[in-house]
Amino acid sequence: MEGPRPVVLSGPSGAGKSTLMKMLLRDYDGVFGFSVSHTTRSPRPGEVDGKDYHFSNREAMQEDIDDGTYIENAEFSGNLYGTSKSSVDEVRANGLICILDVDIQGVRNIKQTDLDPIYVSIQPPSMEILEKRLRDRNTETEESLQKRLEAARVDMELSNEPGVFDMLIVNDDLEEAYEKLQSVLIEEITKVQSTKKERCNSIMSGPRPVVISGPSGAGKSTLLKKLLKDYKGVFGFSVSHTTRDPRPGEVDGKDYHFTNREAMQEDIDKGEFIETDEFSGNLYGTSKSAVQDVRAKGLICILDVDIAGVRHIKETNLDPIYISIQPPSIEVLEERLRGRATETEEKIQSRLEEARTDMEECNEPGLFDIVIVNNDLDEAYEKLQSVLKEEMSDVILMKAFQGQTCYLISF
């Protein structure tokens, strides 16, 4: 798995791990991340699956544990808890250093995997000081405190075994301990920061547009609405050109760029348009400059075009991501179209004929980067997000670099 090396932090309660982690997150914003753990317990009020935990059942989780897909796991109060390899990989795929806060047994479990993290142990200077820290919290019963102290004795002893940790930090002085923690992580921190700067520089010219194509009824509009809802401030639409007259309320430059046939035809002949068509005696088209206007704002320009439009764009230097959204079958598509109850029989037959052509041509090698068969909306949406993930990450990164905000609900 590519990405920064994870960091395993271990040590007894009261040693200062949480304080040191907070200092890291404060000073290195956008460098570290946390994996989402799995558990078999039921969600508590307000907890969100995939955000607070990946909620699972014992049978499925135990099967994954037996298959070796977990890097560490434990059982508390009759429920399994664990960290899967995939949850760590998700953090690394976003270019972040994944922090794993585990006990000494978790360290031993991770040692048996191919994760290759940086192992850091945070220890108190002595049992006496640790006990004072825990008592000063005034949050423990005597029984709980004694359990923590006993666990700490074992932890402090095992942490000195050769080869278990890359660095053992005795937290006698918080600032000195923090300096040591930074020193052992600085190489990975620098790599992450450099990579983010390089990515920002590479996308300043604007993110790649996205060409989405597919027959009416395949679910393009629904999928686009979900994208725009979940990734606010990430996508934009170009303003098309037309030679028809403005309708009441339409604004030039907002609804369309209104022009005359002579001027638009001249620009088409010059190659200034990436796709054009004619309806009812009027020209319609998308100009390169209209797409560039969206890209200049740091947004991913969405182009919803038919398959002929895809072929036209292929002849330009636009270099978008090409996505085809297709129904599972012509029968399912017909059922969807009839279910709308908005089409005449003649219109339905016309759409179905166009769809047959679209469904056949979309499988031409090299025409699309991905063909998504929309049989299940959630699965189709996951695939759409997956193919756009890198570009969306770049937009969010660039806006953060520029001090702007993207509202991200799911990613």
Side-chain angles (χ1 to χ4, degrees):
M1 172 66 197
E2 295 183 0
R5 290 177 68 191
V7 176
V8 170
L9 284 181
S10 187
S13 178
K17 282 184 303 177
S18 297
T19 302
L20 290 166
M21 279 195 286
K22 286 178 182 177
M23 294 172 76
L24 274 178
L25 297 173
R26 177 198 68 196
D27 294 346
Y28 299 100
D29 185 40
V31 171
F32 295 92
F34 292 88
S35 63
V36 179
S37 297
H38 288 64
T39 183
T40 59
R41 74 163 171 78
S42 299
R44 292 168 183 158
E47 288 184 329
V48 179
D49 185 38
K51 181 181 178 183
D52 298 287
Y53 281 96
H54 293 295
F55 294 101
S56 182
N57 60 65
R58 175 175 283 270
E59 182 180 0
M61 188 166 170
Q62 188 61 59
E63 184 178 342
D64 287 340
I65 291 169
D66 294 339
D67 288 342
T69 61
Y70 278 75
I71 58 174
E72 61 89 24
N73 63 88
E75 184 167 352
F76 300 100
S77 302
N79 291 302
L80 294 174
Y81 293 79
T83 305
S84 67
K85 293 177 182 178
S86 61
S87 64
V88 176
D89 287 345
E90 286 175 7
V91 178
R92 299 177 71 187
N94 287 324
L96 302 176
I97 300 171
C98 184
I99 297 177
L100 297 164
D101 180 2
V102 300
D103 61 16
I104 195 77
Q105 184 55 50
V107 171
R108 294 187 183 282
N109 291 340
I110 295 172
K111 284 278 183 179
Q112 297 173 20
T113 71
D114 59 356
L115 190 63
D116 188 35
I118 300 168
Y119 294 91
V120 182
S121 175
I122 310 295
Q123 294 293 334
S126 67
M127 284 300 301
E128 292 73 24
I129 290 176
L130 180 64
E131 182 173 356
K132 182 178 186 305
R133 290 177 183 175
L134 292 174
R135 290 191 182 281
D136 286 347
R137 287 178 177 177
N138 199 28
T139 58
E140 308 276 350
T141 65
E142 185 62 30
E143 182 181 5
S144 175
L145 190 144
Q146 292 302 323
K147 284 183 179 179
R148 289 195 184 279
L149 290 174
E150 184 56 36
R153 288 186 184 93
V154 175
D155 196 303
M156 292 173 71
E157 180 180 346
L158 295 178
S159 67
N160 288 297
E161 288 185 11
V164 176
F165 291 98
D166 296 301
M167 175 172 276
L168 192 156
I169 299 173
V170 177
N171 185 15
D172 191 15
D173 179 276
L174 184 62
E175 293 302 326
E176 288 183 8
Y178 183 51
E179 285 183 11
K180 290 177 180 177
L181 181 59
Q182 290 178 93
S183 70
V184 75
L185 300 180
I186 196 63
E187 184 177 348
E188 287 303 311
I189 290 171
T190 302
K191 286 179 184 177
V192 171
Q193 291 175 328
S194 297
T195 300
K196 287 184 179 293
K197 286 181 181 179
E198 287 172 5
R199 287 177 67 191
C200 277
N201 291 335
S202 69
I203 61 175
M204 283 302 180
S205 60
R208 291 176 69 192
V210 176
V211 169
I212 294 186
S213 186
S216 177
K220 286 183 301 177
S221 297
T222 303
L223 289 167
L224 285 175
K225 285 177 183 177
K226 287 175 71 68
L227 269 182
L228 296 174
K229 180 189 74 174
D230 291 349
Y231 301 98
K232 294 178 181 178
V234 173
F235 294 93
F237 291 87
S238 62
V239 179
S240 297
H241 287 63
T242 184
T243 59
R244 74 164 172 79
D245 293 330
R247 292 167 183 159
E250 288 184 330
V251 178
D252 184 38
K254 180 181 179 182
D255 299 287
Y256 282 95
H257 292 295
F258 294 101
T259 185
N260 59 66
R261 176 175 282 270
E262 182 181 0
M264 186 166 172
Q265 188 61 58
E266 183 178 343
D267 286 340
I268 292 171
D269 295 339
K270 289 179 180 177
E272 297 298 325
F273 279 75
I274 59 173
E275 60 91 25
T276 64
D277 212 335
E278 186 167 351
F279 300 100
S280 303
N282 291 304
L283 294 174
Y284 293 79
T286 305
S287 69
K288 294 178 181 178
S289 62
V291 175
Q292 194 54 43
D293 286 344
V294 178
R295 298 178 72 187
K297 296 174 184 176
L299 303 177
I300 299 171
C301 183
I302 296 176
L303 298 163
D304 181 0
V305 300
D306 61 19
I307 203 143
V310 171
R311 295 188 186 280
H312 290 154
I313 296 172
K314 283 279 182 177
E315 297 173 359
T316 72
N317 61 355
L318 190 63
D319 187 35
I321 300 168
Y322 293 92
I323 302 172
S324 176
I325 309 296
Q326 294 293 335
S329 68
I330 199 72
E331 291 77 18
V332 171
L333 181 65
E334 182 173 359
E335 184 181 342
R336 291 177 183 175
L337 292 175
R338 293 191 182 280
R340 289 177 177 177
T342 58
E343 309 278 353
T344 64
E345 183 62 29
E346 181 182 4
K347 188 65 174 177
I348 288 175
Q349 293 304 323
S350 175
R351 290 197 185 278
L352 289 174
E353 186 57 37
E354 290 173 359
R356 289 186 183 94
T357 302
D358 198 303
M359 292 171 73
E360 181 180 346
E361 294 185 7
C362 75
N363 290 304
E364 287 184 18
L367 192 58
F368 290 97
D369 295 301
I370 189 172
V371 176
I372 299 174
V373 178
N374 184 14
N375 192 22
D376 179 276
L377 184 63
D378 290 333
E379 288 182 8
Y381 185 51
E382 283 182 14
K383 291 177 182 177
L384 181 59
Q385 290 178 98
S386 177
V387 75
L388 298 178
K389 186 173 184 178
E390 182 176 349
E391 214 60 38
M392 293 191 295
S393 295
D394 283 346
V395 171
I396 294 164
L397 172 63
M398 181 175 66
K399 289 186 177 293
F401 190 74
Q402 295 172 338
Q404 300 179 39
T405 302
C406 287
Y407 296 95
L408 192 59
I409 293 177
S410 63
F411 192 31

